[in-house]
Amino acid sequence: MMIATGVRPMAHIATYALALALPWAGSAQASVRCDIPMTQWQPRDAVVQLAQQNGWDVRRIKIDDGCYEIYATDADGQTFEAKIRPDTLAIIEIESDDDDDHDERGDHDERGDH
């Protein structure tokens, strides 16, 4: 019985430490930053070429958190955002716009929301 009680406090400490660490892990992952000096950036034309090579129809390219961000439509007509490293043009993340209630034409979704 003493062994069981001796183990329990350590288990609680480990669980508590894990609970404290998890919110930090999620927030670090949620915000991707590109801390690349501008002198090492590929030109905007290279970003357009990357999008064309992937079959994307580019609607907009902007800079966000030091990364290139491409707003585009894929070959299937799905809209998305792609975050790109400005020096290597590596695709960091792609976020689908499927959650939008309205499409590009301003039509309403199936629920009839306005």
Side-chain angles (χ1 to χ4, degrees):
M1 199 93 156
M2 288 184 70
I3 294 174
T5 58
V7 173
R8 269 191 151 190
M10 291 303 289
H12 289 299
I13 291 170
T15 302
Y16 183 70
L18 182 61
L20 288 175
L22 286 176
W24 291 104
S27 65
Q29 198 173 29
S31 179
V32 176
R33 293 194 56 82
C34 300
D35 295 322
I36 312 297
M38 292 285 292
T39 57
Q40 296 177 14
W41 282 39
Q42 296 288 326
R44 187 180 186 92
D45 291 340
V47 179
V48 172
Q49 188 176 35
L50 169 75
Q52 290 171 343
Q53 289 171 350
N54 283 292
W56 302 342
D57 182 27
V58 176
R59 295 178 301 158
R60 180 178 182 196
I61 297 174
K62 73 174 197 171
I63 298 169
D64 186 42
D65 291 330
C67 305
Y68 280 118
E69 218 171 62
I70 301 174
Y71 294 80
T73 306
D74 66 15
D76 296 326
Q78 299 295 319
T79 57
F80 63 92
E81 297 174 27
K83 195 165 265 199
I84 311 294
R85 265 185 73 107
D87 56 344
T88 63
L89 300 183
I91 299 169
I92 299 170
E93 85 181 342
I94 295 180
E95 195 173 301
S96 175
D97 288 345
D98 288 343
D99 296 333
D100 290 345
D101 287 342
H102 300 86
D103 67 14
E104 286 291 308
R105 297 178 309 268
D107 294 341
H108 301 292
D109 71 357
E110 296 168 12
R111 295 177 305 215
D113 292 342
H114 296 277

